[in-house]
Amino acid sequence: QVQLVESGGGVVKPGGFLTLSCAASGNVEARGTSTWYRQAPGKDRDWLVDLLGDGSANWRNSVKDRFRTWRDSTGNTLYLYMTDLRPEDTAVYICQITPEIRGRGIQVTVSS
């Protein structure tokens, strides 16, 4: 069974940046919709972005001017670049490289 390995999380100061990676353990060759979510402590999971097969993306308004997402050419790794990070971005970030394959999440903490 294919699993997703997420990396790149951690603690960053306000205004900083991070790039999250989400790598499939096997060959998934994702070409359709990939999605990022996040879940802040004590809150419901929030949708962030759908990356479509043509490379376009539909974003949550609160992050669309600060975050970017893309897949590598193989379709086996998904990335999320986040800049101008704010304390309210603190959450567990969850990738879903295909509708059937979702990661467990990685912590991002924005704190001075």
Side-chain angles (χ1 to χ4, degrees):
Q1 184 175 356
V2 174
Q3 295 183 330
L4 298 179
V5 178
E6 294 149 314
S7 60
V11 180
V12 63
K13 293 183 178 180
F17 64 92
L18 284 173
T19 302
L20 305 183
S21 299
C22 173
S25 60
N27 193 22
V28 298
E29 297 183 356
R31 298 286 183 259
T33 300
S34 297
T35 303
W36 285 95
Y37 303 91
R38 69 184 180 188
Q39 187 164 15
K43 296 188 177 180
D44 293 334
R45 186 175 66 205
D46 285 334
W47 166 83
L48 289 181
V49 59
D50 285 328
L51 174 64
L52 306 182
D54 63 0
S56 64
N58 297 320
W59 286 97
R60 185 179 190 86
N61 284 340
S62 62
V63 303
K64 66 179 182 179
D65 295 327
R66 301 184 292 123
F67 292 7
R68 288 175 48 214
T69 189
W70 68 97
R71 283 186 294 249
D72 71 352
S73 60
T74 69
N76 291 322
T77 302
L78 180 65
Y79 298 92
L80 181 69
Y81 172 75
M82 306 180 290
T83 190
D84 188 24
L85 283 164
R86 305 165 182 171
E88 55 265 35
D89 295 318
T90 294
V92 173
Y93 284 71
I94 303 158
C95 64
Q96 182 172 293
I97 201 164
T98 72
E100 298 79 27
I101 306 174
R102 182 183 297 169
R104 299 182 65 178
I106 188 166
Q107 179 69 46
V108 171
T109 301
V110 184
S111 174
S112 56

